[in-house]
Amino acid sequence: SGWVDGPKMPEGVMHHTIAVVGDWLFVFGGRGQTTGASVDQVLRAKLGDDGVPGAFEKLAPLPEKRSHAMTFQVGRWVYIAGGLTGDPVENPPSRSDIIRTTIGDDGSLGDWETVGKFPTGGLSVSAAQVFGRSVYFMGGLPGGSSYTKNVYTAHISEDGSLGPVTALPTKLPTARAHVHQTPVLGHNIYSVGGHLDSESSTGEVVVGTFAAP
C-alpha cells in the first residue's frame, strides 16, 4: 500500500490529458512549465507488472500545440477534443476540432486525423465521458469568457468515426467548467464542483441519468 515514485516527465505540465492503452501510459500536450503556454509533446511509458511506469520517452508531437483539452478512448482509438492553443492568460479561443490516433500493441501511434468538430466556438476545460456508443461533454468554455450549461454528445460508429456533435435539450443546472472528470456508475453520471462565471468555485454536485442503455 502507499505511493511509490514514478518517472519524471521531461517538462512539468498541467491541463494535459492522459490515456492508458494496454501496457502503455500516454501523456498528451498540456500547459508547459517553461513558457506557460500549450505544448505539443506526446510522452509514452511502459507499465511494469506492478503497474509502475518506466521512463518516459518522447514520441512524434501532436499536429498542433494543445492544452485544456478532453481525452477519451474507445478500444485502441484515443481521441483529443477541443482545448486551446496558446497562453490561457491571453484568453485564446477554444479549439473546435476533435482528433484521433490508433495505438498499436507495441505502443506506437498512428497518424492523427480529424474526426469531428464542436459547434461554433469550440470547447475547452470540459470533460469527456463515453457511455454506450456515444461520448458526452458536460459544460466547459465554448469560446469567449462565459461557461456553458450545454451537454454535447456525438455518436461513435463501429469504425470509430464520430457523428455530428450536438447539444442535448437537457442542460446542466448551472454553467460551469473545470470539471475535468465526470464518472459514470450504472446509468448515472456525476458532475462535481467546478468553476463558475462569477470567478468562484462551486461545491454543487449534480447527478444525471442516462435514459438509454
Side-chain angles (χ1 to χ4, degrees), residues 36-200:
S38 306
V39 298
D40 58 5
Q41 76 173 359
V42 176
L43 303 177
R44 175 182 70 182
K46 183 71 178 290
L47 299 176
D49 292 339
D50 58 358
V52 177
F56 280 108
E57 56 182 320
K58 284 189 174 184
L59 301 181
L62 295 171
E64 295 183 73
K65 296 177 180 180
R66 187 185 303 242
S67 62
H68 300 74
M70 298 73 72
T71 288
F72 62 99
Q73 63 190 84
V74 179
R76 290 194 169 271
W77 292 310
V78 173
Y79 303 75
I80 301 179
L84 59 84
T85 297
D87 185 341
V89 174
E90 299 173 356
N91 197 27
S94 295
R95 299 185 62 97
S96 62
D97 57 334
I98 304 174
I99 60 175
R100 180 187 72 175
T101 188
T102 303
I103 310 294
D105 291 338
D106 60 354
S108 60
L109 271 66
D111 293 336
W112 292 95
E113 57 179 335
T114 300
V115 293
K117 188 174 183 180
F118 286 106
T120 302
L123 193 68
S124 63
V125 291
S126 182
Q129 182 65 54
V130 174
F131 182 82
R133 296 301 308 181
S134 296
V135 60
Y136 296 84
F137 306 92
M138 302 183 68
L141 181 65
S145 58
S146 296
Y147 300 144
T148 183
K149 295 181 179 181
N150 283 344
V151 176
Y152 299 98
T153 187
H155 177 73
I156 306 168
S157 299
E158 292 293 335
D159 63 359
S161 60
L162 299 181
V165 179
T166 58
L168 294 175
T170 301
K171 302 179 185 296
L172 292 169
T174 306
R176 63 175 74 187
H178 293 279
V179 183
H180 301 295
Q181 294 85 33
T182 47
V184 167
L185 178 64
H187 280 69
N188 292 332
I189 186 167
Y190 300 83
S191 180
V192 179
H195 196 243
L196 306 178
D197 280 329
S198 60
E199 293 298 324
S200 62

